[in-house]
Amino acid sequence: MTEKLQLRTYAKLNLMLRINGINEIGYHDLFMVNQSLDLYDYLKFEKNDKQGIVLDDGTSIDPKKNFVYKSAKYISDNYTPINLNIYLKKNIPMFAGLGGGSADAAATIFAINRLYKLNLSNKELIDIAKNIGADVPFCIFGGSKIAEGVGEKLTDINLDSYYYLLIKPNLGMSTKIAFKEYDERVGYTNNLSSIENIVDLKDNKIDIEFIKANFYNDFEKVMLESFSVLNKIKTSLYKCGADFAQMTGSGTTMFGIFHDKKTRNVAYYKLKNRYDNVYRCQSTDKGIKILS
Ligand SMILES: C[C@](O)(CO)[C@H](O)COP(=O)(O)OP(=O)(O)OC[C@H]1O[C@@H](n2ccc(N)nc2=O)[C@H](O)[C@@H]1O
Ligand SMILES: Nc1ncnc2c1ncn2[C@@H]1O[C@H](COP(=O)(O)OP(=O)(O)OP(=O)(O)O)[C@@H](O)[C@H]1O
């Protein structure tokens, strides 16, 4: 029986994010096009001798509030007692719109399913995941997907692979506050013409021209108004040859898409000393990679 598992869990990027409205439990109904990127956190899981869930995460997060702990505790309370030592090494920046906490939760659910041979169906995995956070279902499966509802309705799409440059200024944004700001400052238009466009997504290959013509992030306008550095980053990405530049999630990371690696790398060397936290990465077709 496997007693140990080491994983990489990948960041999520929102290529498109539309806020449709608020549902009956106060959560926002969303339409997202998500892509996994090869920027990752590392997790190691090892069974212990009835010591419960022991987390070593090297972060400032209260251990009991860490999504890793919360996920393991949820399964321990609802399925089977969990006795695991868990080590987490974070690389994905926090409060960045890159779903780092969700990726860690996804890795934990995935690992426990394997280590404890729970044989959970995809639906059961999603049901557990959505209890922990809106991005956790996507992060379990990853790749290129439409995520709808709160984030639990997933549909595969055919999206080209690209090179990315991520720039995360030293300002974080809480998802909860970002939704509040959006509600107060923008509200809802339910733009039906864009919904029709998006329906095509499920059947067609999405290329950079489609992205340029159709994709946006509803949070972006609000954040660009609040933080002028985000505008500067966006302009810099375009000046350095990005085919498309936008904010991911509720911010504050801005991303540039490049069709070739060389242009992306030249942009990296130009911008890495101008801005804080500049990352090079590319699309990946899964959410989690087993190392051993
Ligand atoms: C904005 C996105 O990052 C886009 O990928 C996600 O939808 C947010 O996902 P997440 O970080 O996993 O969010 P959660 O931890 O579930 O929620 C944080 C807070 O954001 C608000 N929230 C989140 C998701 C959603 N669809 N509607 C919301 O109103 C809620 O106030 C919630 O308390
Ligand atoms: N393992 C974890 N990694 C990062 N944040 C965590 C983790 N566990 C709990 N959290 C909490 O989650 C919040 C930040 O999450 P995260 O870094 O995923 O934000 P984000 O990048 O803005 O994500 P999203 O795009 O999903 O909004 C903080 O309140 C933090 O305390």
Side-chain angles (χ1 to χ4, degrees):
M1 181 173 178
T2 326
E3 300 287 283
K4 198 167 143 183
L5 200 56
Q6 298 186 75
L7 304 173
R8 274 182 192 167
T9 186
Y10 294 114
K12 154 233 77 165
L13 190 86
N14 302 108
L15 284 169
M16 152 101 200
L17 192 158
R18 189 183 61 226
I19 305 171
N20 293 326
I22 306 184
N23 70 16
E24 57 289 349
I25 57 159
Y27 261 65
H28 293 75
D29 186 72
L30 305 176
F31 182 97
M32 299 178 279
V33 177
N34 292 351
Q35 174 64 55
S36 300
L37 298 181
D38 64 353
L39 173 67
Y40 56 84
D41 287 349
Y42 164 86
L43 291 104
K44 184 164 90 183
F45 301 84
E46 206 162 355
K47 283 199 176 171
N48 65 36
D49 187 19
K50 297 194 178 137
Q51 287 154 278
I53 304 155
V54 183
L55 175 62
D56 172 8
D57 70 351
T59 71
S60 55
I61 306 164
D62 171 356
K64 295 260 150 71
K65 290 192 179 150
N66 195 309
F67 291 156
V68 170
Y69 180 85
K70 277 191 169 173
S71 307
K73 180 81 170 55
Y74 182 87
I75 299 178
S76 199
D77 290 346
N78 292 286
Y79 290 82
T80 185
I82 301 297
N83 293 290
L84 276 182
N85 294 340
I86 309 176
Y87 171 74
L88 164 66
K89 166 87 178 69
K90 284 207 73 74
N91 296 308
I92 305 172
M94 287 170 55
F95 292 116
L98 292 168
S102 305
D104 299 340
T108 306
I109 296 163
F110 177 93
I112 292 176
N113 188 33
R114 283 179 82 98
L115 286 168
Y116 286 84
K117 298 198 174 358
L118 299 180
N119 293 319
L120 297 168
S121 65
N122 286 351
K123 186 183 174 302
E124 286 170 304
L125 287 170
I126 290 173
D127 284 344
I128 296 170
K130 74 180 185 199
N131 273 292
I132 310 296
D135 280 333
V136 186
F138 171 77
C139 289
I140 291 184
F141 302 100
S144 314
K145 285 189 171 47
I146 295 173
E148 291 172 276
V150 161
E152 78 291 359
K153 259 177 74 189
L154 301 172
T155 309
D156 280 321
I157 45 169
N158 189 355
L159 193 74
D160 282 336
S161 175
Y162 298 107
Y163 298 98
Y164 289 84
L165 202 61
L166 308 182
I167 304 183
K168 158 80 180 71
N170 279 339
L171 23 113
M173 176 47 68
S174 132
T175 305
K176 200 180 184 126
I177 292 172
F179 275 114
K180 197 164 164 279
E181 288 274 302
Y182 183 85
D183 292 346
E184 286 170 8
R185 286 161 64 179
V186 185
Y188 305 100
T189 51
N190 285 339
N191 183 347
L192 288 174
S193 64
S194 59
I195 292 174
E196 279 159 24
N197 268 336
I198 297 305
V199 171
D200 298 342
L201 281 181
K202 295 174 186 169
D203 306 317
N204 294 316
K205 186 164 172 60
I206 300 159
D207 59 14
I208 193 69
E209 293 311 320
F210 189 92
I211 292 175
K212 281 157 74 173
N214 295 285
F215 284 7
Y216 57 89
N217 176 348
D218 271 336
F219 282 117
E220 192 186 64
K221 193 169 176 289
V222 175
M223 294 301 149
L224 292 184
E225 277 167 18
S226 301
F227 304 110
S228 60
V229 66
L230 299 180
N231 265 311
K232 278 195 198 148
I233 295 172
K234 192 167 179 174
T235 306
S236 297
L237 285 164
Y238 277 121
K239 272 194 184 154
C240 287
D243 296 305
F244 183 71
Q246 195 167 272
M247 192 180 80
T248 175
S250 49
T252 54
T253 303
M254 303 294 296
F255 65 90
I257 301 183
F258 297 80
H259 62 275
D260 82 294
K261 199 173 182 172
K262 190 163 170 240
T263 313
R264 192 278 312 269
N265 286 347
V266 171
Y268 171 74
Y269 287 109
K270 269 196 190 145
L271 300 179
K272 78 182 172 77
N273 295 324
R274 196 179 307 169
Y275 297 110
D276 300 309
N277 317 308
V278 182
Y279 304 89
R280 280 180 288 185
C281 46
Q282 64 191 78
S283 314
T284 179
D285 63 0
K286 49 173 126 14
I288 293 165
K289 180 178 179 181
I290 298 176
L291 298 174
S292 67

Coordinates of all heavy atoms in Angstrom, one line a residue, residues 12 14 41 57 59 61 65-68 88 90 92-105 135 173-175 248-252, ligand 2:
K12 N -3.7 28.6 -11.2 CA -4.8 28.8 -12.2 C -4.7 30.2 -12.7 O -4.4 31.2 -12.0 CB -6.1 28.6 -11.4 CG -7.3 29.4 -12.0 CD -8.1 30.2 -11.0 CE -7.4 31.5 -10.6 NZ -8.3 32.5 -9.9
N14 N -7.1 33.0 -14.9 CA -8.4 33.3 -15.6 C -8.1 34.1 -16.8 O -7.8 35.2 -16.8 CB -9.3 34.1 -14.7 CG -9.6 33.5 -13.3 OD1 -9.1 33.9 -12.3 ND2 -10.4 32.4 -13.3
D41 N 3.1 24.9 -6.4 CA 3.5 24.6 -5.0 C 3.8 23.1 -4.9 O 3.3 22.3 -5.7 CB 2.3 24.9 -4.1 CG 2.0 26.4 -3.9 OD1 2.9 27.2 -4.3 OD2 0.9 26.7 -3.3
D57 N 3.9 24.1 7.1 CA 3.6 24.8 5.8 C 4.5 26.0 5.7 O 4.5 26.7 4.6 CB 2.2 25.2 5.7 CG 1.8 26.3 6.7 OD1 2.6 26.6 7.6 OD2 0.6 26.8 6.6
T59 N 4.3 29.0 6.3 CA 3.6 30.2 5.9 C 3.2 31.0 7.1 O 3.2 30.4 8.2 CB 2.4 30.0 5.0 OG1 1.4 29.5 5.8 CG2 2.7 29.1 3.8
I61 N 0.1 31.7 7.5 CA -1.4 31.4 7.7 C -1.6 30.6 8.9 O -0.8 29.7 9.2 CB -1.9 30.6 6.4 CG1 -1.5 31.3 5.1 CG2 -3.3 30.3 6.5 CD1 -1.6 30.4 3.9
K65 N -6.4 27.3 9.5 CA -7.1 28.0 8.4 C -6.6 27.7 7.1 O -7.1 28.2 6.1 CB -7.2 29.5 8.7 CG -8.0 29.9 9.9 CD -8.2 31.4 9.9 CE -9.1 31.8 11.1 NZ -8.8 33.1 11.6
N66 N -5.4 27.0 7.1 CA -4.8 26.7 5.8 C -5.8 25.7 5.0 O -6.3 24.8 5.6 CB -3.5 26.0 6.0 CG -2.6 26.0 4.8 OD1 -3.1 25.5 3.7 ND2 -1.4 26.5 4.8
F67 N -5.9 26.0 3.8 CA -6.9 25.1 3.0 C -6.4 23.7 2.9 O -7.2 22.8 2.7 CB -7.0 25.6 1.5 CG -7.7 27.0 1.4 CD1 -7.4 27.8 0.4 CD2 -8.6 27.4 2.4 CE1 -8.1 29.0 0.2 CE2 -9.3 28.6 2.3 CZ -9.0 29.4 1.2
V68 N -5.1 23.4 3.1 CA -4.6 22.1 3.2 C -5.2 21.4 4.4 O -5.8 20.3 4.3 CB -3.1 22.1 3.3 CG1 -2.5 20.7 3.6 CG2 -2.5 22.6 2.0
L88 N 4.2 21.5 3.1 CA 3.8 22.4 1.9 C 4.9 23.4 1.7 O 5.4 24.1 2.7 CB 2.5 23.1 2.3 CG 2.2 24.3 1.4 CD1 1.9 23.9 0.0 CD2 0.9 25.1 2.0
K90 N 5.4 26.7 -0.6 CA 4.7 27.5 -1.5 C 5.6 28.3 -2.5 O 6.7 28.8 -2.1 CB 3.9 28.6 -0.7 CG 2.6 28.0 -0.1 CD 1.5 29.0 0.1 CE 0.9 29.5 -1.2 NZ 0.0 28.5 -1.8
I92 N 3.7 29.6 -5.4 CA 2.6 30.5 -6.1 C 2.3 31.6 -5.1 O 2.0 31.4 -3.9 CB 1.3 29.6 -6.3 CG1 1.6 28.4 -7.1 CG2 0.2 30.5 -6.9 CD1 0.4 27.4 -7.2
P93 N 2.5 32.9 -5.6 CA 2.2 34.0 -4.7 C 0.8 34.0 -4.2 O -0.1 33.6 -4.9 CB 2.5 35.2 -5.6 CG 2.5 34.8 -7.0 CD 2.8 33.3 -7.0
M94 N 0.6 34.5 -3.0 CA -0.7 34.6 -2.3 C -1.4 35.9 -2.7 O -0.8 36.9 -3.0 CB -0.5 34.4 -0.8 CG -0.2 33.0 -0.4 SD 0.3 32.8 1.3 CE -1.1 33.5 2.1
F95 N -2.7 35.9 -2.5 CA -3.5 37.1 -2.8 C -3.2 37.6 -4.2 O -3.0 38.8 -4.4 CB -3.3 38.2 -1.8 CG -3.9 37.8 -0.4 CD1 -3.0 37.7 0.7 CD2 -5.2 37.6 -0.3 CE1 -3.5 37.3 1.9 CE2 -5.8 37.3 1.0 CZ -4.9 37.1 2.1
A96 N -3.1 36.7 -5.2 CA -2.6 37.1 -6.5 C -3.5 36.9 -7.6 O -3.3 37.3 -8.7 CB -1.3 36.3 -6.7
G97 N -4.6 36.2 -7.3 CA -5.6 35.8 -8.4 C -5.1 34.5 -9.1 O -5.6 34.2 -10.2
L98 N -4.1 33.8 -8.5 CA -3.6 32.6 -9.2 C -4.0 31.4 -8.5 O -3.5 30.3 -8.8 CB -2.1 32.7 -9.1 CG -1.5 33.8 -10.0 CD1 0.0 34.1 -9.7 CD2 -1.7 33.5 -11.5
G99 N -5.0 31.5 -7.5 CA -5.6 30.3 -7.0 C -4.6 29.4 -6.2 O -4.8 28.2 -6.1
G100 N -3.6 30.0 -5.6 CA -2.6 29.2 -4.9 C -3.2 28.3 -3.7 O -2.9 27.2 -3.6
G101 N -4.0 29.0 -2.9 CA -4.7 28.2 -1.8 C -5.6 27.1 -2.4 O -5.6 26.0 -1.8
S102 N -6.3 27.4 -3.4 CA -7.1 26.4 -4.0 C -6.3 25.2 -4.6 O -6.7 24.1 -4.5 CB -7.9 27.0 -5.2 OG -8.6 28.1 -4.7
A103 N -5.2 25.5 -5.2 CA -4.3 24.5 -5.7 C -3.8 23.6 -4.6 O -3.8 22.3 -4.8 CB -3.1 25.1 -6.5
D104 N -3.5 24.1 -3.5 CA -3.1 23.3 -2.3 C -4.2 22.4 -1.8 O -4.0 21.3 -1.5 CB -2.5 24.2 -1.2 CG -1.3 25.0 -1.6 OD1 -0.7 24.7 -2.7 OD2 -1.0 26.1 -1.0
A105 N -5.4 23.0 -1.8 CA -6.6 22.2 -1.3 C -6.8 21.1 -2.3 O -7.0 19.9 -1.9 CB -7.8 23.1 -1.3
D135 N -12.4 27.9 -6.5 CA -11.4 27.4 -7.6 C -10.9 26.0 -7.4 O -10.2 25.5 -8.2 CB -10.2 28.4 -7.6 CG -10.5 29.7 -8.3 OD1 -11.4 29.7 -9.2 OD2 -9.9 30.7 -8.0
M173 N -4.9 41.5 -3.1 CA -6.4 41.8 -3.1 C -7.1 40.6 -2.6 O -6.9 39.5 -3.1 CB -6.8 42.2 -4.5 CG -8.3 42.5 -4.7 SD -9.1 43.5 -3.5 CE -8.3 45.1 -3.8
S174 N -7.9 40.8 -1.5 CA -8.7 39.7 -1.0 C -9.9 39.5 -2.0 O -10.5 40.5 -2.4 CB -9.2 40.0 0.4 OG -10.6 39.8 0.5
T175 N -10.2 38.3 -2.3 CA -11.3 38.0 -3.2 C -12.6 38.5 -2.7 O -13.4 39.1 -3.5 CB -11.4 36.4 -3.4 OG1 -10.1 36.0 -3.8 CG2 -12.4 36.1 -4.5
T248 N -5.6 38.6 -13.9 CA -6.2 37.3 -13.6 C -7.0 37.4 -12.3 O -6.6 38.0 -11.3 CB -5.2 36.1 -13.5 OG1 -5.9 34.9 -13.1 CG2 -4.1 36.4 -12.5
G249 N -8.2 36.7 -12.2 CA -9.0 36.6 -11.0 C -9.3 38.0 -10.5 O -9.6 39.0 -11.2
S250 N -9.3 38.1 -9.1 CA -9.6 39.4 -8.5 C -8.3 40.2 -8.3 O -8.3 41.1 -7.6 CB -10.3 39.1 -7.2 OG -9.6 38.1 -6.4
G251 N -7.3 39.7 -9.0 CA -6.0 40.5 -9.0 C -5.1 40.0 -7.8 O -5.5 39.2 -7.0
T252 N -3.9 40.6 -7.8 CA -3.5 41.7 -8.6 C -2.5 41.3 -9.7 O -1.8 42.2 -10.2 CB -2.9 42.8 -7.7 OG1 -1.9 42.2 -6.9 CG2 -3.9 43.4 -6.8
Ligands
LIG2 N1 -2.4 26.9 1.3 C1 -2.8 28.2 1.2 N2 -2.1 29.0 0.3 C2 -2.5 30.3 0.1 N3 -3.5 30.9 0.8 C3 -4.2 30.1 1.7 C4 -3.8 28.8 1.9 N4 -4.7 28.3 2.8 C5 -5.5 29.3 3.2 N5 -5.2 30.4 2.5 C6 -5.9 31.7 2.6 O1 -6.5 32.0 1.3 C7 -6.4 33.4 1.0 C8 -5.5 33.7 -0.2 O2 -5.7 32.7 -1.2 P1 -4.9 32.6 -2.6 O3 -3.5 32.9 -2.4 O4 -5.4 31.4 -3.2 O5 -5.6 33.9 -3.2 P2 -5.7 34.2 -4.7 O6 -4.4 33.9 -5.4 O7 -6.2 35.6 -4.8 O8 -6.7 33.2 -5.3 P3 -8.0 33.3 -6.2 O9 -7.5 33.5 -7.6 O10 -8.6 31.9 -6.0 O11 -8.8 34.4 -5.6 C9 -5.8 34.0 2.3 O12 -6.9 34.4 3.1 C10 -5.1 32.9 2.9 O13 -4.9 33.1 4.3

